[in-house]
Amino acid sequence: MTEIITCMPPHPHLNVGSSFFVLFCVCFAEEDSQADASSINVVLMGTLAKDFNQAVNQGDVVVASGFTVGKSPTVHKDKLHPCNLLMSGDNACIYVFRLPPPRDPTSPPAVKRGPAPSTEVSRPPKTQKYTYVGLGDLKTGSVVNVYGVVVFFKQPFKSRGTDFCSSLKITDQSNQKIGCTIFCDKLEDHPKIFKIGDIVRMHRVKTQFFNDSITLVNTFGFSVVTFDGAVGANVEPRTSSLSFHFDREDCRTVEELRSWAARQAVIPSVSTTPLSAVQPKAYFDLTCQLLAKAPIDTTCTLLRVWDGTRCPHTLLKVIVEPNVMVGPTSFSIDRENLIANILVYDNHVEFAQQLKPGDFLRIYNLRAIPGSSKVPGLTSSQSVEVDHLAFHLHGGTAFGRGIRVLPENSPDIQELKRTIKAFPEDDELNDSTLLEIWGTPPESLGDVTAESSTDSLRASERNCTHDIEPVTLSELKRSNLGRVHHVRAQLRSYKPHRLHQALKLYCSKCTSMQDIPDDELVAHLFLEASKESGPCSPPPWLLSGQIDAPRDNPGSLKQALTVHLSSQLVSENRTKELIFLMGSTLEETRQLVSGYQNIIPVRSSGGHLTLLDLSAPFLFRGRRKYYGCRRCSEPALRELCAEGVELIDETIIAKALGIQLLQYVLLMAFEVQDPTDTLEAFLWRDAKSFFGVSPEEVAASQEAQNCIHQTMDSLCPPGGSTGERPWLDLCLMASRTEDGGGQKQPCYQICHTAFTKPPSTHSDPEPA
DNA sequence: GTTTAGGCTTCG
């Protein structure tokens, strides 16, 4: 009997069309002082190799029979047993046994992937049936499995002991209401209850008698799965458990409890209140999106949220230092009117620290307090308006008070997103008014283009549909903010001059912008990661192998790099599409991009395979490198489902790895002038349409970089006089932004404008 | 095979 330590696909440089497999096994039967010889290669051919690949995971125990013993041709390279086992022919047979997961030996094996039934590859049958005790039939002093509809719950809170504690009350057809207390040190092991009416299934809870009634407390081997309680909703188990049992009968139980609960009116008709329906003095639950947050003091944190509805009452304004705000410091006036400032206190502050702008939240037992109240840390003149509604999440957990992050796919969040979608995008360089104007029908399009095309001296043209007359820069500066304007101007100067300084990485989730990490730093990260590329256990869906490292020069020694491939892709002969590469330098990784469509650098960390620090690119695709947002990503090596996916690209990979993909953006400041004034305008969102190349291309291609340089040289010839500079027809968006000191100031952004061509003749100064 | 909590509004 052998245990699999590594399962390797055909050598990626070999012909992957042939169906054979190489296994590295540990033979327990051989008691042998030579460590090298305790591992032996088993070679599988044909259908056996294919079936085996589908059935096996690392750590499985296999029994092989009907093999022939041959000389291992790779003994010098892999230093394993000098012989190998050849599994071919009719007698060859290999059995796969899955060892039960060590954490929970009583639960049935995890079934993450359907086993492939085969005469040669078989598994022991898994039979475990759970029985559930009705809540009316509980007896003291027993350990049971139960189902129930949640009628009360508290989000997990820190107990005085070592664990988090969840408190809930459940009921079922017996109408008994049973209190349950769950202690677990890990938050993810707690029930994921979002609202009253959710259905929980708990395994291994013990009954206790307390205060004249039976209560349930989790005991060894406890696990819980939660379901939405709405009749007709998908029966989708909410659990972080990798291994749980779920069959048709469970599905039926959930559906029966749902319809029973609906008939009993166990679930309140209104579970959460939109901001538009909030009543002063009332307690309510709010489903919302976090836009920004700021610590106020040690006992209080401000959460700025919205749900796309407008509260009819004047809301509390809280002034905080812009430098402590996480997320945008200001919003357009339209959006500002929809934002609720929530002050969360005491025990909720710690939880609020984990929240990220963009998160979808449910805040339980929020209080709407009318009148004025003091905000800690601020003087009364700063903090409050008279006659407003303040939202407080008081300290404590009474009445289930707390905050929960809801997954984006939950039905309530889908609905919230639809409401929010009705409002225009908004960020520090954008303005909601702009989108109203974007909605203008395009009947004026002909005029605008005709006007531009008649003038051969124009180096840019507007491609917007705004029917407005151009204004001078001095007129523009006197105009209202929050609108778009058309101007004709020349480029006086621009910054930065170095393209790599203009290229940034932008996170659309938290709206942060950062510089692209320089090569030296990235190379260092690769080097550090390669030092730790010790033994590690890759997840079972990966197959491990080795490829030759690219050589620095022809004379240097050939070195091998460890790669991991998705077993699914291997089985589909798609081995060139994605590799997880370990221990390579930045330079080696770059050289390998010609051979593999997607390269994900990985490292060994504490015996596990993980991604590199997010300061390094998480993905190499040809010349393109992709980065993830450190703030918004929750990176983890997860299986990529590529079945039916024709092109594996950065979006799919980022999603699978829990990475919030950063976009390449170009950010430039143009100083433009006309005879009346000068003005600084940013080119950012519409840089792609302006230059005709995407920032992503610019980051990866010399040609695209040259294109930008040529454009800038023709708009602003080095050493040239003002008279030689072409005129630009620009569409400018004027909005308000906040500088570092909290001062509002105008911000102009170039939009809907495309560079056309350098003018061929000398131009006369243009009348405004 | 040990503890924690055992709902029940609020300092702000």
Side-chain angles (χ1 to χ4, degrees), chain A residues 165-190:
Chain A
C165 175
S166 286
S167 184
L168 52 143
K169 192 168 265 181
I170 58 174
T171 190
D172 69 0
Q173 289 88 339
S174 71
N175 246 327
Q176 290 289 320
K177 310 259 188 305
I178 302 292
C180 315
T181 309
I182 310 298
F183 296 106
C184 291
D185 59 345
K186 291 199 195 75
L187 277 174
E188 62 261 32
D189 294 338
H190 282 258

Side-chain angles (χ1 to χ4, degrees), chain A residues 18 51 53 60 80 106 109 151 167 259 291 321 344 407 438 449 471 496 575 629 642 656 687:
Chain A
S18 63
D51 289 344
N53 173 40
D60 286 352
L80 300 182
T106 56
V151 291
S167 184
S259 53
L291 293 172
E321 291 287 329
V344 311
W438 275 349
T449 50
V471 295
T575 53
C629 179

Side-chain angles (χ1 to χ4, degrees), chain A residues 82-291:
Chain A
C83 298
N84 64 13
L85 309 181
L86 276 161
M87 307 278 299
S88 64
D90 293 337
N91 292 332
C93 183
I94 191 155
Y95 295 90
V96 178
F97 294 93
R98 173 74 34 86
L99 289 174
R103 248 191 53 145
D104 188 354
T106 56
S107 74
V111 184
K112 283 270 161 179
R113 195 170 54 165
S118 146
T119 48
E120 291 124 3
V121 178
S122 64
R123 286 165 178 283
K126 29 187 174 322
T127 47
Q128 178 132 14
K129 197 95 184 87
Y130 284 92
T131 52
Y132 297 92
V133 178
L135 299 179
D137 303 324
L138 295 172
K139 302 275 179 298
T140 337
S142 56
V143 173
V144 293
N145 305 319
V146 294
Y147 261 102
V149 182
V150 175
V151 291
F152 169 79
F153 67 103
K154 280 183 182 185
Q155 295 301 334
F157 57 93
K158 268 235 164 74
S159 73
R160 279 167 220 253
T162 56
D163 296 333
F164 283 98
C165 175
S166 286
S167 184
L168 52 143
K169 192 168 265 181
I170 58 174
T171 190
D172 69 0
Q173 289 88 339
S174 71
N175 246 327
Q176 290 289 320
K177 310 259 188 305
I178 302 292
C180 315
T181 309
I182 310 298
F183 296 106
C184 291
D185 59 345
K186 291 199 195 75
L187 277 174
E188 62 261 32
D189 294 338
H190 282 258
K192 296 179 196 308
I193 302 167
F194 300 156
K195 56 160 75 159
I196 289 176
D198 281 353
I199 290 164
V200 289
R201 184 194 75 177
M202 294 189 284
H203 285 172
R204 290 163 286 255
V205 282
K206 63 182 174 199
T207 52
Q208 278 182 352
F209 209 70
F210 179 79
N211 267 357
D212 298 331
S213 50
I214 284 197
T215 59
L216 294 171
V217 183
N218 62 313
T219 183
F220 304 101
F222 166 79
S223 71
V224 59
V225 186
T226 310
F227 304 89
D228 193 311
V231 174
N234 284 345
V235 183
E236 221 174 277
R238 299 202 282 253
T239 173
S240 56
S241 174
L242 291 172
S243 115
F244 65 95
H245 178 97
F246 186 73
D247 60 23
R248 294 183 81 88
E249 207 166 316
D250 289 281
C251 198
R252 219 186 56 222
T253 308
V254 170
E255 279 166 349
E256 279 171 6
L257 276 171
R258 280 174 172 178
S259 53
W260 171 80
R263 288 196 304 274
Q264 306 299 306
V266 170
I267 310 168
S269 55
V270 187
S271 60
T272 74
T273 308
L275 286 172
S276 59
V278 168
Q279 296 296 320
K281 291 188 184 166
Y283 289 94
F284 64 102
D285 294 345
L286 177 70
T287 309
C288 58
Q289 185 181 32
L290 181 67
L291 293 172

Side-chain angles (χ1 to χ4, degrees), chain A residues 557-740:
Chain A
L557 268 177
K558 223 182 191 180
Q559 284 198 319
L561 289 171
T562 303
V563 293
H564 307 277
L565 288 90
S566 144
S567 53
Q568 190 208 335
L569 288 176
V570 172
S571 71
E572 295 175 15
N573 271 340
R574 298 167 68 182
T575 53
K576 298 281 179 196
E577 293 185 30
L578 172 67
I579 59 168
F580 295 83
L581 179 63
M582 205 163 154
S584 66
T585 63
L586 174 62
E587 197 42 46
E588 284 166 344
T589 312
R590 279 196 185 127
Q591 289 184 32
L592 286 168
V593 298
S594 54
Y596 305 93
Q597 287 168 28
N598 294 288
I599 298 180
I600 299 172
V602 289
R603 65 184 295 177
S604 156
S605 173
H608 292 282
L609 202 60
T610 60
L611 296 172
L612 266 57
D613 183 278
L614 282 184
S615 299
F618 73 91
L619 171 67
F620 288 73
R621 268 176 73 71
R623 291 188 57 85
R624 297 187 180 192
K625 298 187 286 259
Y626 293 94
Y627 295 84
C629 179
R630 295 173 70 94
R631 193 192 287 172
C632 301
S633 302
E634 282 164 13
L637 265 195
R638 276 182 288 256
E639 184 166 12
L640 181 102
C641 185
E643 204 168 340
V645 175
E646 268 184 33
L647 180 73
I648 302 173
D649 63 11
E650 66 278 7
T651 320
I652 289 167
I653 291 172
K655 203 172 164 208
L657 300 176
I659 284 174
Q660 174 69 33
L661 190 63
L662 292 175
Q663 297 164 12
Y664 283 96
V665 292
L666 267 175
L667 175 63
M668 297 176 89
F670 282 20
E671 192 193 9
V672 295
Q673 63 180 12
D674 73 359
T676 67
D677 210 340
T678 66
L679 176 137
E680 189 175 60
F682 292 100
L683 179 61
W684 175 50
R685 289 211 164 208
D686 286 9
K688 182 182 173 186
S689 95
F690 187 88
F691 290 114
V693 290
S694 71
E696 203 176 296
E697 284 172 78
V698 174
S701 128
Q702 185 62 50
E703 203 182 331
Q705 289 168 18
N706 292 344
C707 169
I708 307 273
H709 284 305
Q710 282 163 15
T711 303
M712 294 318 294
D713 283 351
S714 71
L715 293 178
C716 201
S721 72
T722 308
E724 292 170 63
R725 293 181 193 174
W727 285 80
L728 296 163
D729 271 323
L730 298 173
C731 178
L732 288 186
M733 176 187 1
S735 59
R736 206 191 308 270
T737 187
E738 215 165 88
D739 65 16

